[in-house]
Amino acid sequence: MVEFIDQLISALGPLGLLVLGLAAMLEYVVPPFPGDTITLLGGVYAVRGSQPWMLVFLVVTVGSVVGAAINYAVGHWLAKRFDAHPERSFLGITHARLEQVQARMRVNGPWLLLVNRFLPGIRGLIFVAAGASRMPRFNALALGAVSAMAHTGLVLGLGAAVGGNLERLTALVTRYQYAVVGLVVIGAIGVGIRMLARRRAPAPGP
């Protein structure tokens, strides 16, 4: 998989940068898309001298912000649909559920947006929630850009650390993916335990 992507992007020359940016965008719009793997390759290209490091960094960051903006627009559209037809459900979401999401985003939204890029699988949903909650678009995307820059710098650094060796990159991608999945599972378990504890907590007395 990694070797195929490497050959494809290398064959495209300068257009390979567009693939890196598109991959970063698709990670938000299509969560299962392996954009982090392709971004790691960007670090390899920088080491090889195939592409300037700063240009790779810029393209991937912009791709991430564009993907976030698309998801924000979806959330904003969803909120408008509920305003017009609060009795209906859209994309499997009820109006009551939307109000819960909006309340949580008002409290935790900025922090979630700051770390969104490090949360695979749900990073796109955070921007959908931001749009549905009508958080200021500029603020949401600015926080998303900061998160994207931090994540892109880390992933490109990991790609550069393998020094252009695809075998080491493949092993690094595998470890990276396992680590990320492990963190998400631990986080999900923590949230589940917290929700269960709240449900079992005795109701406050009169």
Side-chain angles (χ1 to χ4, degrees), residues 53-192:
W53 194 94
M54 284 304 300
L55 189 55
V56 173
F57 176 85
L58 179 62
V59 168
V60 173
T61 299
V62 170
S64 297
V65 174
V66 170
I70 292 172
N71 283 359
Y72 180 97
V74 171
H76 190 70
W77 169 86
L78 187 63
K80 289 175 66 177
R81 297 287 80 75
F82 275 116
D83 286 344
H85 305 283
E87 75 284 356
R88 299 182 185 177
S89 65
F90 296 92
L91 303 179
I93 302 173
T94 63
H95 189 252
R97 179 57 179 163
L98 176 64
E99 289 180 331
Q100 292 176 357
V101 171
Q102 289 172 331
R104 290 177 182 173
M105 286 300 292
R106 292 187 190 103
V107 177
N108 301 315
W111 293 108
L112 288 172
L113 291 168
L114 269 176
V115 301
N116 82 89
R117 198 64 181 81
F118 296 86
L119 303 175
I122 64 171
R123 57 174 67 117
L125 294 177
I126 293 174
F127 280 93
V128 173
S133 304
R134 294 188 173 86
M135 295 182 66
R137 188 189 307 268
F138 176 82
N139 293 353
L141 295 183
L143 291 171
V146 171
S147 182
M149 287 188 287
H151 180 270
T152 302
L154 172 63
V155 174
L156 289 181
L158 291 174
V162 305
N165 186 308
L166 281 184
E167 291 183 2
R168 292 178 61 192
L169 177 61
T170 302
L172 184 62
V173 167
T174 301
R175 295 194 193 102
Y176 177 84
Q177 291 174 337
Y178 279 133
V180 168
V181 170
L183 289 174
V184 171
V185 170
I186 291 172
I189 292 174
V191 171

